[in-house]
């Protein structure tokens, strides 16, 4: 990615065919789709890339088994096809995980779930609608080129305990086993942005769009304010795309006058992270009952166990959603009952909350029942707003948006994103580790950056200090901080600890004081030309950012803020 200074120069006062507001997964997808169809594109992000909902998901690339209950069949089918495609396009970053639904001695397996899983299998196949002969002839081709999940099956107690040994004390019976996929949501956003830049899109974070410029009632650009200097600048654009997720109804005063606009019904979801010594799901993910016919997940993620999520209407501050106290208790109660553990807040290594950009339909449905379908709106100014949807369906949302641009301009410009690889895969064994960098770090770098991991390793090779871990005992390297500042427009410690790496979520108690954040501030300062005083201030500012995100739910109350 260009540096911020270079990107600002390329964007301020310039003219583009498309300006995208918002640097979450949706905005990144629109930037990639439009740029790869030949449009000149600028993307403006108010805070940091993925700082909104796109860093706060359950990190699943999935069809959403749960939505079958609501008969949202179109959405599930669409998401399952995207899941399959994403494993092909970003094999280093999107990986299948076995999910288990165990039954216990006194219970029988839930037959409704069996039926649901059958539907999930059928909907996941790319072969729907093909004749037997077509299926036979394309089978070899599919197997060579496409990952496709095995069908769900029933596994016996022994196989279940091999996958999830920690369930032994609960004396489980057999279980359903099926597959879904996992990722790092933020790294997926960065990977898409990286590809968008390859096609010529220019991206800038730390710039808030404050106005949609109108001429003769038509949207002709945006005005934005740069966070550090406070300077206002304008960008002319033939097309303005609003991809601001849960903030979508706050963009452009003209929007509020329109009848046909999205009304966002925010819903908060809380997640918890636990040490695998305290709670392990082995090599699988577990679906955990959580009362009133609801379920939560316990997933292996970055060597920790991720537990989530809740889904409740939210009328709090959508800029800084906190993990709710009652939500934390609810999630802990569910995992304690399921695994027979006695975990409490004090055991949490991290927590976070995100707000879903659900679209209100006007009827008083609960957030859990509102569809996750994306909606595209076009107001009389010509501005397009794309919101709702899921992390998994970003590519379809982007296609839908850019298809509309192409259609209204009468261009011949088909969508290519189903064929554009996202980053380049690298296997850990292909990466050469310098002295002092362990296997775990190399595997994590290969997952996070693919082939670009070589740039991190080269830095670590050239400077032994950068081969050190950011947090003792965790595999993330200080060289990643340098890369974040040089190539990913990181501006502060929180950009690195919450998004470029996920250490803030995975090791919050270890990052409780400014001294622990100091190595990150030092490495950023070396790249960004900070004075010693600024470095100290930035390390201290991390504490405020961590408190604002509520990641350290285990902290004693007075320091948890
Ligand atoms: C708890 C939870 C769990 C989820 N789990 C999953 C899951 O496992 N799988 C899945 O597929 N989906 C999941 N989702 C849904 C998914 O995360 C979202 O649909 C997706 O991330 C939304 O992305 P977005 O880009 O539309 O919004 P955002 O990521 O919120 O991006 C909008 C961006 O716009 C920026 N912005 C706002 N105002 C301005 C402005 N004035 N100027 C410039 N920029 C601005 C914001 O800073 C933000 O970065 C989950 C959601 C939640 C809340």
């Amino acid at each position: 990615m260009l540096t911020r200074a270079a990107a600002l120069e390329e964007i301020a006062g310039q003219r583009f065919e498309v300006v995208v507001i918002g640097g979450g997964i949706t905005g990144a997808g629109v930037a990639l789709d439009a740029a790869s169809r030949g449009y000149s594109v600028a993307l403006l992000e108010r805070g940091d890339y993925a700082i909104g909902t796109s860093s706060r998901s359950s990190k699943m690339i999935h069809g959403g088994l749960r939505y079958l209950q609501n008969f949202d069949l179109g959405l599930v089918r669409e998401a399952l096809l995207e899941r399959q495609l994403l494993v092909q396009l970003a094999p280093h970053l999107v990986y299948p995980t076995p999910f288990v639904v165990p039954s216990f001695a006194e219970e029988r397996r839930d037959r409704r779930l069996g039926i649901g899983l059958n539907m999930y299998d059928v909907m996941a196949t790319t072969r729907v609608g093909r004749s037997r002969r077509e299926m036979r002839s394309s089978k070899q081709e599919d197997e060579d080129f496409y990952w496709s999940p095995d069908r769900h099956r029933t596994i016996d107690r022994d196989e279940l305990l091999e996958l999830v040994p920690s369930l032994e004390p609960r004396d489980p019976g057999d279980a359903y086993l099926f597959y879904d996929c996992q990722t790092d949501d933020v790294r997926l956003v960065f990977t898409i942005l990286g590809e968008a830049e390859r096609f010529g899109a220019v991206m800038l974070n730390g710039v808030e769009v404050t106005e949609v410029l109108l001429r003769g009632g038509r949207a002709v650009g945006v005005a934005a304010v740069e966070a550090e200097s406070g300077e206002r600048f304008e960008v002319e654009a033939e097309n303005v795309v609003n991809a601001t997720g849960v903030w979508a109804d706050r963009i452009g005063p003209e929007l509020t006058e329109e009848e046909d606009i999205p009304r966002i019904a925010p819903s908060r979801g809380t997640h918890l992270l636990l040490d695998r010594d305290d709670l392990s799901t082995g090599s699988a993910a577990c679906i955990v009952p959580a009362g009133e016919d609801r379920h939560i997940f316990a997933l292996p993620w970055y060597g920790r166990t991720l537990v989530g999520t809740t889904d409740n209407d939210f009328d709090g501050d959508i800029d800084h959603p906190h993990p709710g106290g009652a939500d934390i208790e609810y999630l802990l109660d569910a995992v304690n009952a399921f695994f027979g553990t006695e975990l409490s807040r004090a055991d949490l290594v991290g927590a976070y909350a995100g707000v879903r950009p659900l679209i209100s339909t006007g009827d008083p449905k609960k957030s859990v029942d509102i569809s996750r379908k994306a909606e595209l709106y076009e107001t009389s100014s010509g501005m397009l707003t794309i919101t709702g949807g899921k992390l998994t369906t970003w590519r379809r949302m982007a296609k839908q948006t850019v298809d509309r641009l192409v259609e209204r301009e009468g261009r011949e410009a088909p969508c290519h994103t189903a064929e554009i690889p996202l980053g380049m895969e690298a296997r850990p064994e292909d990466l050469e580790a310098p002295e002092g960098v362990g296997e775990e770090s190399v595997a994590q770098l290969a997952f996070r950056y693919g082939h670009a991991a070589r740039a991190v390793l080269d830095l670590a090779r050239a400077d032994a200090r950068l081969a050190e871990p950011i947090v003792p005992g965790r595999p993330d390297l200080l060289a990643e901080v340098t890369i974040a500042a040089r190539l990913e427009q990181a501006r502060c410690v929180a950009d690195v600890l919450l998004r470029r790496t996920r250490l803030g979520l995975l090791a919050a108690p270890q990052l409780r004081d400014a001294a622990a954040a100091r190595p990150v501030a030092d490495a950023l300062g070396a790249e960004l030309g900070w004075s010693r005083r600024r470095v100290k201030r930035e390390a201290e500012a991390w504490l405020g950012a961590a408190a604002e995100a509520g990641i350290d739910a285990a902290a004693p109350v007075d320091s948890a803020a």
Side-chain angles (χ1 to χ4, degrees):
M1 222 180 244
L2 288 180
T3 62
R4 293 193 69 247
L8 184 61
E9 197 162 318
E10 288 216 7
I11 290 177
Q14 302 300 318
R15 182 179 175 76
F16 291 84
E17 288 170 304
V18 180
V19 160
V20 181
I21 315 170
I25 192 109
T26 309
V30 172
L32 171 60
D33 191 318
S36 60
R37 296 199 211 194
Y39 283 98
S40 61
V41 179
L43 178 146
L44 304 178
E45 162 54 47
R46 177 177 70 164
D48 186 21
Y49 303 112
I51 194 169
T53 311
S54 298
S55 53
R56 299 153 185 271
S57 77
S58 304
K59 288 87 171 90
M60 285 193 286
I61 298 295
H62 65 159
L65 191 54
R66 188 166 76 70
Y67 310 131
L68 286 179
Q69 278 175 356
N70 303 352
F71 297 100
D72 233 337
L73 305 186
L75 173 72
V76 176
R77 164 92 177 131
E78 186 177 295
L80 284 170
L81 293 180
E82 288 304 302
R83 177 186 75 169
Q84 183 156 350
L85 188 58
L86 280 173
V87 177
Q88 314 308 321
L89 298 177
H92 58 292
L93 199 52
V94 179
Y95 57 93
T97 301
F99 280 64
V100 294
V101 191
S103 55
F104 296 96
E106 67 281 10
E107 304 162 354
R108 314 195 70 198
R109 260 183 299 122
D110 181 351
R111 287 196 173 277
R112 276 181 318 160
L113 179 62
I115 295 168
L117 286 169
N118 265 324
M119 287 174 74
Y120 211 58
D121 288 339
V122 171
M123 292 173 116
T125 175
T126 48
R127 300 186 191 123
V128 170
R130 294 198 218 167
S131 70
R132 275 178 193 279
R133 212 179 51 198
E134 279 174 320
M135 275 165 58
R136 261 199 312 274
S137 66
S138 65
K139 191 164 185 294
Q140 188 57 44
E141 197 183 312
D142 280 358
E143 277 169 6
D144 287 349
F145 294 104
Y146 293 107
W147 169 80
S148 81
D150 286 340
R151 285 181 66 85
H152 87 275
R153 61 195 169 92
T154 305
I155 55 174
D156 63 17
R157 175 193 153 86
D158 290 348
E159 199 177 342
L160 170 64
L161 290 178
E162 226 170 85
L163 285 168
V164 193
S166 59
L167 280 176
E168 184 151 21
R170 286 284 328 272
D171 191 20
D174 51 15
Y176 284 117
L177 176 134
F178 68 101
Y179 291 88
D180 251 324
C181 293
Q182 287 183 269
T183 191
D184 176 334
D185 44 9
V186 179
R187 295 314 311 189
L188 188 58
V189 173
F190 273 102
T191 307
I192 297 166
L193 288 173
E195 291 305 324
E197 192 177 84
R198 267 193 337 110
F199 285 97
V202 190
M203 273 80 64
L204 182 58
N205 62 4
V207 279
E208 176 167 8
V209 170
T210 50
E211 226 177 300
V212 176
L213 304 174
L214 299 175
R215 198 177 303 136
R218 301 292 297 169
V220 292
V222 297
V225 174
E226 202 275 327
E228 278 170 32
S229 64
E231 267 173 42
R232 178 185 182 278
F233 64 89
E234 294 188 354
V235 188
E236 275 185 66
E238 283 160 37
N239 301 286
V240 177
V241 177
N242 169 13
T244 55
V246 80
W247 294 272
D249 53 10
R250 298 187 178 180
I251 296 291
E254 38 94 53
L255 253 181
T256 52
E257 288 155 23
E258 298 275 345
E259 290 238 314
D260 187 22
I261 52 164
R263 288 277 168 225
I264 302 294
S267 143
R268 181 174 64 180
T270 295
H271 290 86
L272 310 177
L273 283 126
L274 288 147
D275 193 315
R276 297 195 81 181
D277 287 343
D278 293 328
L279 183 77
S280 170
T281 62
S283 51
C286 293
I287 300 214
V288 176
E292 293 181 12
D293 213 17
R294 291 224 48 215
H295 291 87
I296 59 167
F297 298 104
L299 310 153
W301 192 63
Y302 274 124
R304 301 290 203 201
T305 301
L306 173 63
V307 175
T309 178
T310 52
D311 189 343
N312 299 314
D313 298 332
F314 183 60
D315 59 8
D317 175 9
I318 58 172
D319 288 351
H320 305 293
H322 248 238
D327 286 3
I328 294 176
E329 297 310 323
Y330 166 82
L331 294 171
L332 283 172
D333 285 350
V335 286
N336 280 335
F338 185 78
F339 289 97
T341 45
E342 289 180 6
L343 297 162
S344 72
R345 279 181 85 114
D347 298 305
L348 299 178
V349 298
Y352 62 93
V355 187
R356 295 175 185 83
L358 302 186
I359 296 165
S360 167
T361 49
D363 64 18
K365 273 185 181 172
K366 270 194 183 169
S367 61
V368 277
D369 298 325
I370 296 180
S371 171
R372 269 53 174 161
K373 219 168 145 275
E375 299 282 354
L376 178 69
Y377 299 83
E378 182 170 355
T379 47
S380 56
S381 71
M383 180 172 84
L384 295 180
T385 296
I386 176 79
T387 191
K390 287 154 57 80
L391 192 78
T392 307
T393 53
W394 65 271
R395 202 193 60 83
R396 297 241 177 174
M397 292 167 73
K399 178 176 183 302
Q400 191 186 356
T401 310
V402 184
D403 277 350
R404 177 71 70 90
L405 295 184
V406 165
E407 190 187 293
R408 75 184 186 190
E409 291 181 359
R411 284 200 191 199
E412 265 299 309
C415 174
H416 299 298
T417 51
E419 291 104 47
I420 299 173
L422 300 171
M424 202 198 284
E425 187 184 8
R427 291 174 310 172
E429 54 272 31
D430 299 334
L431 299 171
E432 212 178 302
E435 181 88 20
V437 173
E439 272 175 29
E440 209 189 332
S441 297
V442 175
Q444 184 170 288
L445 292 173
F447 163 64
R448 199 174 264 172
Y449 305 90
H451 187 78
R454 288 173 208 272
V456 180
L457 291 168
D458 285 348
L459 282 177
R461 193 170 293 111
D463 181 346
R465 277 171 310 173
L466 297 181
E468 297 284 320
I470 299 173
V471 169
R474 300 291 313 168
D476 313 68
L477 304 180
L478 277 169
E480 294 182 73
V481 185
T482 308
I483 291 285
R486 251 181 229 179
L487 300 176
E488 296 177 340
Q489 295 184 4
R491 295 178 299 140
C492 63
V493 172
D495 287 352
V496 173
L497 291 180
L498 292 179
R499 288 172 291 277
R500 309 298 181 289
T501 73
R502 313 313 300 273
L503 284 163
L505 312 179
L506 299 162
Q510 283 167 273
L511 289 162
R512 234 172 235 175
D513 58 52
R518 184 65 191 243
V520 177
D522 279 332
L524 281 176
E527 287 300 309
L528 302 176
W530 291 346
S531 64
R532 282 175 65 86
R533 188 179 294 177
R534 171 102 190 249
V535 167
K536 184 165 176 284
R537 221 174 43 231
E538 295 284 347
E540 282 160 4
W542 157 249
L543 302 184
E548 218 161 63
I551 52 172
D552 192 4
V557 176
D558 55 340
S559 61

